[in-house]
Amino acid sequence: MAGGPHERWGNQLEYLLSCLGYAVGIGNIWRFPYLCYRNGGGAFLIPYFLTLLICGIPLVYLETLLGQFASAGCISVFNINPLFKGAGYATVILNTVAVIYFSSIMSYPLLYIYHSFSTPLPWQTCGNSWNTENCAEITGNFSSLSNGSITTPEDEFFHIRLLHMSPGLNQIGGIVWPVFWCNVICWIIVYLCICNGVKSVGKIVYFTVLFPYVVLFAMFIRGVTLPGAWQGILYYVLPDWNQLTKPKVWADAATQIFYSLGPGWGGLVSMASFNRFHYNNLRSSIIIPLVNSGTSIWAGFVVFSVLGFAAERAGVPVGQVARAGPGLAFVTYPAAVSMMPAPNFWAITFFVMLFFLGIDTMFVTIESVIAGLLDEFSCLRVRKKLVTLLTCFVLFSLSIICNTEGGLHIVGLLDAHVAIACVPVVCGLELIGAVYTYGPKRLSRDVLFMTGQPLKRCWFTLWRYIIPVILFRIRASCKPNKEWGPVQPEIRERWKSLKYHDNCDLASLQLSTLPIT
């Protein structure tokens, strides 16, 4: 092959651990537990596991088959149907955008690790120079938590002390230098770990993937032994069967599969491209999704056992201390940790675990960008280290915007919208290219040639008929939310009145329903 031979894993355990490190990330800690309790607790596991079995596992298997057979990254894998090659470039752009904000998120655990060596923990009390008049420690039944009339010291430490957070997205502000320098440290670590390609990544994942599981186990044992822990666990798993009648619950389950497992992002294709050609990857394609989902559920027990403890200590319902997104990891959980015996130890342990969970995801995400470019432009493969250095430098430079005072607003915007439309489209084009246009007969022949075992008919049934339906479920997440519309109250009311005329001819609407300029 022009440009030098394609890299290979040292052994298949390295491949399995790398894929697990890619799939198991910070989202397992802050996204899945919240989705589970919000969408019916234990009842949410029904649509989640159904989606996992009929959509997640088949997509993982398809992507790893294609990547391994062609030894191709996220761009070259579309040589199976060059008409869709633009989807490969879209995947590179998608990963680039994801890394821009994710590297900034990885700065936050480093900042917390640094501050966790202070005694007492700096987010435990009000009265610091950064605290506002609204700051109040949660030592009693604060009903004003729900209406926002007070803020907690943990909230102010994260948003004011660490991030210097601006009021809104329209005010980017200057660079927050501690976040910037932690971002620099993250990128140096990432480069040193991936500069030698899969040879170095394959060795590092033995520690970075397995260590978080050790920490999770220790925190699980500590969490379930805390007073009030089972109150939080029951809140997490208690089933609300009525939620299963809501389409959004099923859409959330499908969306979580795409965010967590990573089909359509290119990472699975890239990791599989480094496999030995005749490796039978069916077993690993089942193990990876199952372990990932099991980790998400287990992390929920860890998180909500501690939140139950925090709720009991504060005298508030669990629902008032449970929140979504980065706030769960960087506001709520630090608040709970500060109430535990030996809070410094548990704070350091928790944030070290978060850092390793995120760094594995960054390894594969950046490697998928590099592998995609090197496969498409193989003449660059002899300059792999230089390409890696330049890629990391460019991505770091782009990520600086998330190190500003408005950085968290940008992170929230990109995290909520970056993959909501692109990933299902990429998965759909993979299905069309491999199953519909390339065809079941040729695909079965290739798999038989590669692994010595033919594809079973059930896989084609899932790929051709079931998964396309699930991909269109995600359209529910693309609908405007209740905040959409004019801001001015009078104009908003006139606008709402137009909803009653949705089925009418626009030309027949009276001008009196429209705002007067």
Side-chain angles (χ1 to χ4, degrees), residues 166-173 406 409-410:
S166 67
L169 187 60
N170 59 333
Q171 299 181 35
I172 299 299
H409 299 297
I410 298 172

Side-chain angles (χ1 to χ4, degrees), residues 109-110 112-119 121 123 211 215 219 333 337 342-356:
L110 289 181
Y112 270 95
I113 292 169
Y114 171 78
H115 287 286
S116 294
F117 286 95
S118 302
T119 304
L121 292 171
W123 59 81
F211 177 77
V215 176
M219 298 191 74
Y333 209 90
V337 166
N344 296 77
F345 170 78
W346 291 110
I348 294 169
T349 301
F350 176 73
F351 289 112
V352 168
M353 178 192 70
L354 277 190
F355 180 76
F356 282 123

Side-chain angles (χ1 to χ4, degrees), residues 32-47 234-246 249 252:
F32 178 84
Y34 181 85
L35 277 179
C36 192
Y37 106 82
R38 189 187 71 180
N39 289 311
F44 179 70
L45 297 180
I46 293 177
L234 287 176
Y235 193 82
Y236 166 55
V237 300
L238 197 64
D240 179 6
W241 303 110
N242 294 326
Q243 293 284 343
L244 297 182
T245 62
K246 299 179 180 179
V249 173
D252 280 349

Side-chain angles (χ1 to χ4, degrees), residues 253-334:
T255 304
Q256 176 62 15
I257 292 296
F258 284 102
Y259 269 105
S260 185
L261 285 182
W265 288 82
L268 294 170
V269 173
S270 298
M271 294 299 99
S273 72
F274 304 124
N275 281 339
R276 291 181 290 105
F277 182 78
H278 293 294
Y279 172 64
N280 189 347
N281 66 351
L282 175 59
R283 181 181 299 178
S284 60
S285 298
I286 296 175
I287 291 174
I288 292 165
L290 290 180
V291 172
N292 173 69
S293 299
T295 304
S296 296
I297 296 170
W298 187 24
F301 282 97
V302 174
V303 170
F304 273 86
S305 63
V306 177
L307 295 187
F309 162 73
E312 182 172 279
R313 285 285 302 271
V316 298
V318 178
Q320 287 193 17
V321 297
R323 55 194 296 176
L328 180 62
F330 299 112
V331 177
T332 306
Y333 209 90

Side-chain angles (χ1 to χ4, degrees), residues 159 163-168 171-176 401-409:
H159 293 106
L163 304 186
H164 300 267
M165 189 173 171
S166 67
Q171 299 181 35
I172 299 299
I175 293 176
V176 182
I401 192 172
C402 295
N403 304 154
T404 60
E405 294 172 1
L408 191 62
H409 299 297

